[in-house]
């Protein structure tokens, strides 16, 4: 009998696994071909393509040549090409960040082109074409999100971000040493990549966690899977996106607290907007093209940021969210009440706080997390006097390095906690 059950199980799993393995892809192109193209698309991203097939496509392909390859008949690609041919896109060899409205807009335009492709040839050709023409950072952002979400790339593994952009994860000094070693054809060199800061800073005791390559990558994945700008017209509904946003950060914070306790550090304090920000940060990393990541000194006062927003706007948004939690309902744009005093409430609250397109009322509850990220990452040059690029908070893979990012998320987590505390405790079952 047991054997029969096992056989049946094997047959079952076999039946479901085989199609994935053999003719797995909806468009018939084998997954290994896609993986090959993806690997080469990101290989030495700041240099020209090294794969002959892709390099050929980059030269000969015309994105507008045959618009029947797009599900939308070419609407998205026409939009992008219009911006491109009129020279309105950000140039290559320039820093780009997702907290810059225009940079994000351009990256999403390219993302939409990928998502409209009916088959792999369309994705690979557009990928090759635009890789050689749009800003590299924007290309990475768009292509990573598309690969994560397109039905054509469900079996493609994304290259590790620390291999695509090692300069975001490694001290400038180490990168320099690596170039030198390459220049001099030295082999088997071991580089020491220390954490930023010194033991004179007590926060340094948990730098190993904040600056961990895995934590940075994990943080990137949280956002890749749940982009705040996601719309269901891209293909499907992301289940419990808002709740995931809460849950993922809650887990990260709990672990951070545990690491702090183990290192005799006080518990994490939430970010106070009207008190000096105690923790400074020296990233010691450099943009590939552009100046180093800016240094933030200790004890700065948080400033309003020109053309981005005022610190007080964050407080207004929070007040409205606190009100909603106290009432037990949120109001959508038509003024209808949506009850949040239930299992589903945390999901709605998460959408609102994440600044998600899923938010039932973006006009009223605003874009708390994106605004807070953007205000914080500009604190080193809030009046844009010195043309400095944004800090590590502007990049998903480097955000956890900054102690201030954790304090901000603690503040956000406390809002969720206020909601959770209104719910009845779990019963025995
Ligand atoms: C890293 O730290 C060690 C020990 O403190 C030191 O000897 C070494 O020079 C440092 N390396 C770098 C790249 O900062
Ligand atoms: C937040 O939303 C407002 C209103 O939609 C918008 O003007 C502003 O640019 C947004 N800020 C950020 C940082 O996304």
């Amino acid at each position: 009998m047991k054997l029969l059950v096992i056989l049946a199980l094997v047959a079952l799993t076999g039946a479901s696994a085989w199609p994935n393995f053999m003719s797995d892809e909806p468009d018939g192109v084998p997954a290994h071909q896609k993986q090959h193209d993806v690997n080469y698309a990101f290989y030495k991203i700041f240099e020209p393509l090294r794969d002959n097939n892709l390099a050929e496509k980059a030269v000969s392909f015309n994105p507008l040549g045959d618009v029947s390859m797009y599900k939308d008949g070419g609407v998205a690609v026409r939009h992008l090409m219009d911006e491109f041919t009129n020279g309105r896109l950000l140039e290559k060899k320039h820093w780009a960040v997702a907290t810059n409205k225009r940079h994000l807009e351009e990256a999403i335009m390219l993302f939409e082109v990928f998502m409209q492709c009916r088959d792999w040839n369309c994705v690979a050709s557009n990928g090759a074409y635009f890789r050689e023409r749009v800003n590299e950072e924007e290309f990475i952002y768009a292509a990573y999100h598309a690969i994560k979400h397109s039905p054509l790339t469900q079996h493609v593994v994304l290259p590790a971000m620390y291999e695509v952009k090692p300069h975001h994860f490694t001290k400038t000094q180490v990168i320099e040493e690596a170039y030198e070693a390459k220049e001099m054809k030295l082999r088997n060199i071991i580089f020491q990549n220390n954490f930023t800061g010194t033991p004179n800073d007590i926060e340094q005791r948990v730098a190993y966690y904040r600056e961990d390559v895995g934590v940075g990558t994990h943080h990137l994945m949280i956002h890749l899977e749940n982009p705040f700008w996601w719309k269901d017209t891209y293909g499907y509904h992301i289940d419990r996106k808002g709740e995931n946003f809460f849950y993922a950060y809650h887990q990260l914070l709990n672990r951070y607290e545990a690491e702090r306790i183990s290192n005799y550090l006080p518990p994490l304090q939430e970010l106070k907007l009207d008190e000096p920000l105690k923790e400074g940060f020296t990233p010691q990393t450099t943009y590939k093209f552009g100046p180093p990541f800016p240094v933030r000194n200790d004890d700065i006062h948080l400033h309003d940021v020109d053309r981005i927003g005022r610190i007080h706007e964050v407080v207004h948004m929070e007040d409205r969210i606190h009100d909603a939690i106290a009432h037990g309902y949120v109001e959508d744009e038509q003024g209808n009440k949506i009850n949040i005093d239930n299992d589903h409430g945390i999901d709605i609250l998460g959408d609102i706080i994440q600044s998600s397109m899923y938010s039932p009322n973006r006009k009223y509850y605003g874009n708390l997390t994106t605004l807070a990220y953007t205000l914080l990452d500009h604190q080193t040059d809030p009046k844009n006097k010195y043309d400095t690029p944004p800090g590590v908070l502007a990049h998903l893979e480097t955000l956890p390095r900054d102690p201030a990012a954790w304090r901000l998320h603690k503040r956000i987590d406390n809002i969720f906690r206020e909601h959770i505390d209104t719910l009845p405790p779990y019963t025995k079952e």
Side-chain angles (χ1 to χ4, degrees):
M1 187 60 202
K2 242 185 196 158
L3 186 71
L4 258 183
V5 173
I6 289 171
L7 275 180
L9 270 178
V10 168
L12 264 181
T13 49
S16 58
W18 273 113
N20 281 350
F21 190 61
M22 299 294 287
S23 59
D24 47 352
E25 301 297 292
D27 57 349
V29 177
H32 63 83
Q33 177 64 44
K34 296 180 177 179
Q35 186 71 57
H36 171 95
D37 291 345
V38 166
N39 289 352
Y40 271 97
F42 296 110
Y43 181 62
K44 295 193 192 288
I45 182 75
F46 298 100
E47 296 171 22
L49 277 163
R50 304 282 178 112
D51 177 75
N52 291 338
N53 176 30
L54 290 177
E56 207 272 316
K57 283 186 197 300
V59 178
S60 62
F61 177 71
N62 173 8
L64 294 171
D66 169 17
V67 291
S68 70
M69 67 179 141
Y70 306 104
K71 290 181 231 165
D72 64 351
V75 176
V77 76
R78 244 179 245 122
H79 184 196
L80 178 60
M81 283 302 278
D82 189 42
E83 298 288 309
F84 172 62
T85 44
N86 284 300
R88 285 195 288 261
L89 297 183
L90 179 68
E91 74 254 39
K92 282 173 96 71
K93 302 202 192 299
H94 188 288
W95 56 267
V97 295
T99 52
N100 178 304
K101 242 175 140 176
R102 177 61 189 173
H103 297 175
L104 179 65
E105 208 175 281
E106 293 180 4
I108 293 177
M109 277 184 230
L110 178 55
F111 165 82
E112 288 175 353
V113 172
F114 289 134
M115 293 302 281
Q116 291 301 336
C117 277
R118 289 184 198 279
D119 62 18
W120 184 247
N121 185 43
C122 170
V123 176
S125 306
N126 275 294
Y129 182 88
F130 286 109
R131 181 197 189 275
E132 305 299 70
R133 287 167 179 83
V134 305
N135 176 276
E136 299 88 346
E137 297 275 359
E138 291 182 1
F139 175 81
I140 295 173
Y141 189 89
Y144 262 60
H145 280 85
I147 293 166
K148 188 78 220 152
H149 292 283
S150 165
L152 297 172
T153 41
Q154 288 312 295
H155 303 113
V156 171
V157 180
L158 278 167
M161 192 56 96
Y162 46 82
E163 290 177 2
V164 178
K165 294 200 254 178
H167 55 285
H168 277 192
F169 293 87
T170 333
K171 280 190 173 184
T172 309
Q173 187 188 346
V174 174
I175 297 278
E176 291 299 330
E177 282 167 5
Y179 276 124
E180 189 184 85
K182 169 112 173 93
E183 202 72 7
M184 300 174 65
K185 299 197 166 51
L186 303 177
R187 298 251 163 230
N188 302 325
I189 309 271
I190 293 170
F191 303 112
Q192 179 91 38
N193 184 42
N194 296 347
F195 302 112
T196 63
T198 70
N200 294 337
D201 173 16
I202 60 164
E203 291 292 325
Q204 171 75 6
R205 292 186 206 158
V206 282
Y208 67 87
Y209 182 67
R210 285 197 312 268
E211 296 177 21
D212 185 85
V213 172
V215 169
T217 311
H218 174 60
H219 183 263
L220 168 69
M221 292 313 286
I222 295 171
H223 284 262
L224 271 184
E225 285 173 12
N226 308 288
F228 74 89
W229 43 264
W230 179 268
K231 298 185 211 142
D232 287 355
T233 46
Y234 295 141
Y236 62 99
H237 183 79
I238 300 179
D239 192 32
R240 302 208 282 180
K241 185 150 86 75
E243 184 175 349
N244 262 331
F245 176 76
F246 156 71
Y247 174 76
Y249 276 108
H250 191 65
Q251 295 299 315
L252 274 173
L253 281 165
N254 286 345
R255 176 64 187 266
Y256 190 45
E257 294 282 19
E259 300 297 336
R260 293 179 71 87
I261 293 169
S262 321
N263 285 286
Y264 309 103
L265 282 176
L268 186 61
Q269 295 296 312
E270 70 167 34
L271 181 68
K272 296 273 190 252
L273 300 177
D274 48 3
E275 288 174 15
L277 172 54
K278 200 157 98 282
E279 295 86 359
F281 187 57
T282 309
Q284 304 204 18
T285 44
T286 307
Y287 279 93
K288 177 78 181 176
F289 299 106
F293 277 91
V295 174
R296 191 184 61 240
N297 291 323
D298 285 354
D299 300 311
I300 61 156
H301 285 273
L302 294 178
H303 287 279
D304 298 343
V305 178
D306 281 9
R307 282 176 296 134
I308 301 293
R310 288 171 299 128
I311 295 291
H312 216 73
E313 283 174 60
V314 173
V315 181
H316 282 310
M317 288 173 195
E318 285 177 342
D319 281 346
R320 291 171 177 181
I321 297 166
H322 285 302
D323 269 356
I325 293 169
H327 280 302
Y329 63 82
V330 299
E331 276 184 37
D332 70 9
E333 275 180 38
Q334 288 74 41
N336 303 317
K337 293 177 181 170
I338 306 172
N339 197 3
I340 56 168
D341 248 344
N342 52 34
D343 290 355
H344 188 53
I346 190 98
D347 192 33
I348 297 171
L349 220 51
D351 287 338
I352 288 175
I353 292 175
Q354 194 200 1
S355 334
S356 163
M357 292 292 161
Y358 285 0
S359 164
N361 196 344
R362 268 171 75 85
K363 233 164 72 195
Y364 184 66
Y365 296 108
N367 38 10
L368 179 58
T369 302
T370 25
L371 181 61
Y373 280 178
T374 314
L375 289 175
L376 266 186
D377 75 12
H378 280 74
Q379 285 306 311
T380 44
D381 187 10
K383 299 211 173 313
N384 193 21
K385 281 187 187 168
Y386 312 111
D387 194 24
T388 42
V392 290
L393 267 141
H395 301 269
L396 298 175
E397 68 276 11
T398 53
L399 180 140
R401 302 188 144 231
D402 188 338
W406 293 89
R407 293 194 55 196
L408 169 65
H409 273 285
K410 180 77 182 178
R411 186 179 174 98
I412 291 172
D413 196 62
N414 284 344
I415 303 178
F416 281 114
R417 174 167 299 256
E418 206 176 283
H419 164 70
I420 289 170
D421 286 347
T422 66
L423 298 175
Y426 287 124
T427 52
K428 258 220 168 91
E429 311 86 75

